[in-house]
């Protein structure tokens, strides 16, 4: 009986020791390198992120993605991460279809999932694009300035020719 207890204790110690080394290194931290300051619904955004094993070394994983959840849609939108030339760095092309607050997380392959918080997705605005009233006014002002400069240059050239012709007549 005492021999069985000793064997059981020694076996347990060996299993616990080997089990600890087998699980060593099984964690990672994801850092978002490049993401837009504002997200617009229906617009593609490129997000670059790095998976760091032990928080230091870039980890290459098979399946990684950025996953987004909107409470109204009640579904997860998943955007796969494509590896870049930097070890452990990935880029995902993300298009969120609707406005609101989205929860997001990164799937780090066998390292598991890391929550990234929430982002607010805004409506697409056209004020910064071409075609608004302010842009049309700028183009018209530029066109008017170019035309005025052309008329001025033509008038100066014509006056110079008249002055040269007047000198030739007098001599």
């Amino acid at each position: 009986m005492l021999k069985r207890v000793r064997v059981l204790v020694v076996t347990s110690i060996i299993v616990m020791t080997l089990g600890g080394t087998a699980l060593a290194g099984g964690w990672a931290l994801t850092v978002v390198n490049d993401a837009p300051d504002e997200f617009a619904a229906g617009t593609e955004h490129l997000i670059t992120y790095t998976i760091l094993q032990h928080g230091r070394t870039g980890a290459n994983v098979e399946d990684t993605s950025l996953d987004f959840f909107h409470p109204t849609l009640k579904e997860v939108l998943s955007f796969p991460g494509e590896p870049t030339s930097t070890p452990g760095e990935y880029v995902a092309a993300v298009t969120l279809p609707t406005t609101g607050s989205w929860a997001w997380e990164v799937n780090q392959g066998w390292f598991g999932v890391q929550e990234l918080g929430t982002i607010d997705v805004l409506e697409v605005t056209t004020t910064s694009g071409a075609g608004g009233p302010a842009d049309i006014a700028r183009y018209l002002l530029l066109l008017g300035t170019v035309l005025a400069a052309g008329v001025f240059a033509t008038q100066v050239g014509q006056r110079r020719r008249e002055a040269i012709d007047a000198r030739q007549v007098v001599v």
Side-chain angles (χ1 to χ4, degrees), residues 69-154:
F69 176 77
H70 190 279
T72 304
L73 296 177
K74 304 226 187 273
E75 68 176 310
V76 175
L77 299 180
S78 186
F79 302 94
E82 297 296 326
T84 68
S85 59
T86 304
E89 184 178 71
Y90 301 87
V91 64
V94 175
T95 303
L96 300 174
T98 169
T99 62
S101 183
W102 289 77
W104 64 318
E105 61 190 21
V106 60
N107 176 349
Q108 304 174 116
W110 69 275
F111 290 113
V113 173
Q114 177 184 329
E115 293 181 9
L116 298 173
T118 59
I119 60 168
D120 291 323
V121 177
L122 309 172
E123 288 187 41
V124 176
T125 58
T126 59
T127 57
S128 63
D135 288 335
I136 292 171
R138 272 189 229 115
Y139 292 129
L140 289 176
L141 182 61
L142 176 63
L143 179 62
T145 303
V146 169
L147 288 175
V151 169
F152 179 74
T154 303

Side-chain angles (χ1 to χ4, degrees), residues 13 22 25 39 42 62 87 98 103 106 142 150 157 169:
I13 290 172
F39 285 81
E62 290 294 318
T98 169
V106 60
L142 176 63
V169 171

Side-chain angles (χ1 to χ4, degrees), residues 7-17:
V7 169
L8 184 60
V9 169
V10 170
T11 305
S12 298
I13 290 172
I14 290 172
V15 168
M16 286 189 294
T17 304

Side-chain angles (χ1 to χ4, degrees), residues 17-101:
T17 304
L18 293 177
T21 57
L23 296 175
W27 67 276
L29 171 72
T30 295
V31 176
V32 177
N33 303 338
D34 189 25
D37 293 333
E38 292 183 344
F39 285 81
T43 303
E44 182 178 82
H45 301 283
L46 295 179
I47 301 174
T48 306
Y49 60 97
T50 303
I51 299 175
L52 298 170
Q53 186 171 7
H54 303 138
R56 293 185 158 178
T57 306
N60 292 323
V61 297
E62 290 294 318
D63 295 315
T64 179
S65 62
L66 293 177
D67 303 328
F68 293 80
F69 176 77
H70 190 279
T72 304
L73 296 177
K74 304 226 187 273
E75 68 176 310
V76 175
L77 299 180
S78 186
F79 302 94
E82 297 296 326
T84 68
S85 59
T86 304
E89 184 178 71
Y90 301 87
V91 64
V94 175
T95 303
L96 300 174
T98 169
T99 62
S101 183

